[in-house]
Amino acid sequence: MLIDKIIQELRDIPEDKLAEIYDLIHYFRIGLETDSSAEETPTEIVIEGIRQGIKEALSGQTIPLSEMWEGIDAAIVATDN
């Protein structure tokens, strides 16, 4: 089963990287719940996004959550005009 494969992959991740993986999965899931366009995204694109996110997290290419949304208000205002 796919869930078993995912769980095994999680077990193989070093303990000090689990918080980053949790954030990735958690916010990905929340995005699916709130983004109607997610239903239109092909599975392959979603899976590649997850792979890329995990690769970045494991290599330390992360942004602290406290900084993740900096400037988002300015970007939203710019796209509304």
Side-chain angles (χ1 to χ4, degrees):
M1 240 169 112
L2 185 56
I3 191 73
D4 295 326
K5 291 179 180 181
I6 293 169
I7 291 169
Q8 184 57 50
E9 290 294 331
L10 291 171
R11 287 185 177 132
D12 293 339
I13 294 173
E15 184 75 29
D16 64 328
K17 298 293 184 180
L18 288 178
E20 296 166 22
I21 298 302
Y22 171 80
D23 289 341
L24 173 77
I25 294 168
H26 177 73
Y27 290 105
F28 176 79
R29 182 186 55 78
I30 288 173
L32 289 178
E33 292 173 356
T34 60
D35 184 7
S36 62
S37 68
E39 295 175 10
E40 301 168 8
T41 304
T43 302
E44 296 82 17
I45 294 172
V46 172
I47 291 172
E48 183 55 34
I50 292 171
R51 283 187 180 131
Q52 183 64 32
I54 290 172
K55 181 179 173 184
E56 290 172 6
L58 292 175
S59 67
Q61 299 174 12
T62 60
I63 300 171
L65 286 177
S66 61
E67 298 174 15
M68 188 173 288
W69 304 113
E70 284 183 5
I72 192 73
D73 294 332
I76 291 171
V77 170
T79 60
D80 287 345
N81 293 330

